[in-house]
Amino acid sequence: MPVSDETILGRIAELTDIKASARLGPDPAATERQHAKGKLTAHERISLLLDKGSFNEVEPLRRHRASGFGLEHKKPYSDGVITGWGSVHGRTVFVYAHDFRVFGGALGEAHAQKIHKIQDLAEAAGAPLVSLNDGAGARIQEGVTALAGYGGIFRRNTRCSGVIPQISVMLGPCAGGAAYSPALTDFVFMVRETSQMFITGPDVVKAVTGEEITQNGLGGADVHSATSGVSHFAYDEEETCIEDVRYLLSLLPANNRELAPVERSGDPADRLNESLLDVVPAGAGQAYDIRKVIEEIVDDGEFFEVHPSWATNIVCALTRLDGHVVGIVANQPAAMAGVLDIDASEKGARFVQFCDAFNIPLVTLVDVPGFLPGVDQEHNGIIRRGAKLLYAYCDATVPRVSLVLRKAYGGAYIVMDSRSIGADLALAWPTNEIAVMGAEGAANVVFRREINAADDPDAVRQQRIAEYKDELMHPYYAAERGLIDDVIDPRETRSVLIRSLDMLRAKHADLPTRKHGNPPQ
């Protein structure tokens, strides 16, 4: 019997009601409770992330099929996670958002399968994936199937690593194994007071160790952005956080087969950098803020710093030079004199690997006195962990330009993308000092006996220091030996970098056939 138009319209009305009900959630008061905590709902967050009217939801009518513990009587639509795709600045982006109003956003079998589906779609479409996390972990009532669901997420995170950009935005609690999915993604954003991440919560910590600590003190945004390095960014409210996610996406390619979008500005490529003569002191021991150097040379002074509060002795940033996205790695003399330590090495290595995976050229600004000495550094593995930065640079095939601003001593000089480990172009300012170590330390080692035997040791020491500087540390020593391609006028830094990267735009590098490398851990 044919279906009448009236019946079809009735079915459409029924569908509209079901979808509206699903959007409101099973409990009308749940939205109010979410807002009372200073948190947005999943749909509100997605609306902030994506371009207006661009969201296409996937499986909005999915319901779990579990039974026991009362679950058979609670089968809300969406099953606690909203999935789909839309656009950010006109480019396709996939997203999933935990809906804390439904089962506290806890993950069950159907919930996990929805996430698996959107991960697979993102990989197939070659587009970024953003997760808006606000969930209570595994749905205990569903037992091991919930744990298996997390395993499927982790496997897809790993498979997509270096293939599509993956961004985790922490907007609520994330405990236990659930914290490993964000850890596997490229960037983690957190919001102060409302988001926390930890493997074992405060109650377990107290029971096992006797230590008393709050959730934020254990795994809050400031802890993970400044102490552990788990989070790349921390914000005071969700709106600013999500707006910066949109900005980050504007700097990234859709996948590892594409280049990041080019956005020309009115900033001339040949603009001189007169202020650099005042920003960077000539004396190797004087501090300055490397961010002022970056601000001066990049387009319109705009850059997006990654991990700004962690390992502050190195700066990693995404920015543009003549409209093209580049990654900048720079020693920071304003923090610990710019020395390399464990955290700085790991921060730099992760950033270099990300840029290399997604075809983003690298500019390295060098002003480094060496690796941080100390028992703690040695016992905590500075050898293997410092080698991560070395490995990342040696393995990178994107265009690489390094620039020595002032000092570059010892192994740290080599590690900071020197010519010897594969930099395509190695440049320097005329204030550069490239050597095994500083002149004072070198003189004390090389001329130790002579200095100790002298009638006036201080006079001899100063004489030998001056000789060492004149012979081995003058600004043209490395250039004379082909280890520096050119010594440039600091005022021409921007134009030289732009011309160099333009020349390298079509760079192609072949790597030996291998399953994968075995980087130091």
Side-chain angles (χ1 to χ4, degrees):
M1 180 177 179
V3 179
S4 68
D5 289 342
E6 182 179 352
T7 303
I8 292 175
L9 292 174
R11 291 297 188 184
I12 292 172
E14 180 186 33
L15 173 63
T16 302
D17 289 342
I18 289 174
K19 287 191 173 182
S21 175
R23 188 180 180 95
L24 290 172
D27 180 2
T31 298
E32 295 179 12
R33 290 195 295 270
Q34 186 83 342
H35 288 164
K37 297 176 184 177
K39 297 162 66 174
L40 301 175
T41 66
H43 283 288
E44 289 169 340
R45 290 163 174 166
I46 290 172
S47 294
L48 284 176
L49 174 68
L50 301 178
D51 297 338
K52 186 176 181 180
S54 69
F55 183 53
N56 301 271
E57 190 170 353
V58 174
E59 295 192 355
L61 305 182
R62 187 69 182 267
R63 305 165 86 175
H64 74 77
R65 56 185 180 181
S67 61
F69 306 101
L71 283 180
E72 62 272 17
H73 305 302
K74 298 178 182 178
K75 294 191 174 185
Y77 291 110
S78 83
D79 201 49
V81 64
I82 312 302
T83 60
W85 80 92
S87 63
V88 174
H89 303 299
R91 302 164 65 220
T92 299
V93 170
F94 288 80
V95 61
Y96 69 86
H98 299 296
D99 190 343
F100 198 81
R101 302 171 306 168
V102 179
F103 297 131
L107 181 139
E109 181 186 35
H111 181 121
Q113 288 174 350
K114 288 182 66 174
I115 295 176
H116 298 166
K117 173 73 172 287
I118 216 65
Q119 288 180 294
D120 292 341
L121 283 173
E123 180 186 5
L129 175 65
V130 178
S131 62
L132 304 176
N133 297 271
D134 186 8
R139 195 174 300 168
I140 298 172
Q141 300 93 321
E142 294 198 31
V144 71
T145 55
L147 298 180
Y150 273 123
I153 293 172
F154 302 158
R155 180 164 57 87
R156 288 167 173 84
N157 284 143
T158 303
R159 191 175 67 203
C160 290
S161 180
V163 178
I164 57 173
Q166 299 179 85
I167 299 173
S168 297
V169 188
M170 313 311 295
L171 301 167
C174 184
Y180 283 117
S181 178
L184 291 168
T185 60
D186 299 306
F187 297 101
V188 176
F189 289 71
M190 292 188 74
V191 176
R192 295 182 178 92
E193 301 303 323
T194 59
S195 62
Q196 301 88 28
M197 297 174 66
F198 35 70
I199 298 299
T200 55
D203 293 341
V204 177
V205 170
K206 183 179 179 179
V208 174
T209 70
E211 298 171 286
E212 291 193 21
I213 193 167
T214 64
Q215 286 195 348
N216 282 318
L218 181 62
D222 288 326
V223 168
H224 284 313
S225 64
T227 303
S228 72
V230 170
S231 174
H232 299 77
F233 311 98
Y235 299 86
D236 290 328
E237 71 285 316
E238 294 188 17
E239 292 83 354
T240 305
C241 174
I242 294 174
E243 182 58 36
D244 266 6
V245 175
R246 286 175 56 86
Y247 180 57
L248 174 59
L249 286 166
S250 75
L251 295 167
L252 304 180
N255 55 64
N256 64 345
R257 302 182 301 279
E258 298 183 12
L259 299 177
V262 178
E263 290 186 11
R264 304 285 183 182
S265 72
D267 198 347
D270 59 355
R271 171 172 56 81
L272 293 178
N273 308 124
E274 296 284 349
S275 70
L276 291 182
L277 301 182
D278 300 319
V279 169
V280 182
Q286 293 179 267
Y288 65 93
D289 190 345
I290 193 66
R291 289 173 294 192
K292 293 183 178 179
V293 175
I294 297 172
E295 184 177 311
E296 172 61 25
I297 63 178
V298 303
D299 291 358
D300 301 318
E302 295 182 359
F303 61 94
F304 193 55
E305 187 174 353
V306 176
H307 271 315
S309 301
W310 180 61
T312 55
N313 42 323
I314 197 169
V315 171
C316 299
L318 291 167
T319 186
R320 282 189 167 89
L321 282 170
D322 197 29
H324 295 272
V325 174
V326 299
I328 292 183
V329 180
N331 304 114
Q332 173 57 294
M336 300 170 60
V339 70
L340 285 179
D341 64 353
I342 287 172
D343 287 348
S345 299
E346 293 191 334
K347 171 180 170 178
R350 175 76 169 172
F351 184 75
V352 168
Q353 288 172 327
F354 174 82
C355 290
D356 185 52
F358 290 102
N359 310 310
I360 298 173
L362 287 162
V363 172
T364 304
L365 304 179
V366 185
D367 192 344
V368 62
F371 280 94
L372 180 65
V375 175
D376 285 346
Q377 289 288 303
E378 296 294 346
H379 287 188
N380 286 308
I382 184 63
I383 295 174
R384 63 179 173 82
R385 296 165 76 179
K388 292 182 182 182
L389 182 56
L390 175 61
Y391 187 100
Y393 269 124
C394 288
D395 203 42
T397 60
V398 292
R400 292 157 49 191
V401 179
S402 66
L403 172 63
V404 179
L405 309 186
R406 295 192 310 182
K407 58 190 176 295
Y409 296 157
Y413 153 68
I414 302 172
V415 168
M416 289 298 293
D417 205 20
S418 63
R419 180 70 180 276
S420 60
I421 66 169
D424 297 296
L425 286 174
L427 308 171
W429 284 359
T431 48
N432 81 80
E433 292 182 358
I434 304 174
V436 174
M437 63 177 67
E440 291 79 3
N444 287 334
V445 172
V446 176
F447 306 108
R448 180 177 65 251
R449 291 184 180 178
E450 180 184 350
I451 292 171
N452 291 338
D455 294 333
D456 188 347
D458 287 340
V460 174
R461 181 182 292 107
Q462 294 305 315
Q463 177 186 352
R464 293 309 189 189
I465 288 172
E467 288 178 4
Y468 187 86
K469 283 185 175 181
D470 289 342
E471 291 186 24
L472 295 177
M473 292 183 65
H474 63 79
Y476 310 107
Y477 185 85
E480 290 171 358
R481 284 151 182 80
L483 297 174
I484 291 293
D485 292 296
D486 197 11
V487 179
I488 66 171
D489 184 333
R491 294 170 294 186
E492 298 178 355
T493 299
R494 172 176 166 82
S495 60
V496 170
L497 289 176
I498 287 174
R499 292 197 303 271
S500 299
L501 291 171
D502 186 58
M503 176 273 293
L504 291 166
R505 196 81 57 205
K507 174 185 174 181
H508 175 74
D510 290 320
L511 292 175
T513 301
R514 61 182 177 183
K515 188 173 182 180
H516 56 73
N518 187 25
Q521 297 298 323

